[in-house]
Amino acid sequence: HFRDNMKKGKRFQFLTEQEGFSGNQLALRYVLDNQNIASAVFSTISVDHLIDDLGAADITMPESIRRKIKDKA
């Protein structure tokens, strides 16, 4: 299953290439904006990563990125 999940994850590689946002911020913002999701569980290995993840609370997901995520899901 691990290899299958890695292949599926590569569909979203474009999230790491968006200027002004990290891939983690965009992914977490997408989840936070989804009314069908009651909670988000994430982990981090450093304070810097945690600070980056918390930055998702302060961003607005560009509609073009939101559409691209939905198209690839």
Side-chain angles (χ1 to χ4, degrees), residues 2-68:
F2 177 76
R3 288 182 194 202
D4 290 337
N5 288 337
M6 291 296 291
K7 287 178 186 178
K8 290 176 185 176
K10 287 187 180 200
R11 293 182 293 186
F12 301 98
Q13 183 68 31
F14 70 93
L15 291 174
T16 65
E17 301 161 355
Q18 304 304 312
E19 191 170 328
F21 309 102
S22 72
N24 289 349
Q25 288 174 336
L26 291 170
L28 188 53
R29 182 77 259 165
Y30 184 81
V31 169
L32 292 171
D33 287 344
N34 189 325
Q35 295 178 5
N36 296 314
I37 299 175
S39 63
V41 178
F42 64 97
S43 65
T44 183
I45 59 172
S46 72
V47 172
D48 288 339
H49 288 163
L50 177 60
I51 291 169
D52 181 62
D53 289 343
L54 292 174
D58 297 326
I59 66 171
T60 300
M61 172 81 71
E63 190 57 36
S64 61
I65 295 174
R66 184 181 316 283
R67 278 193 309 272
K68 196 167 183 179

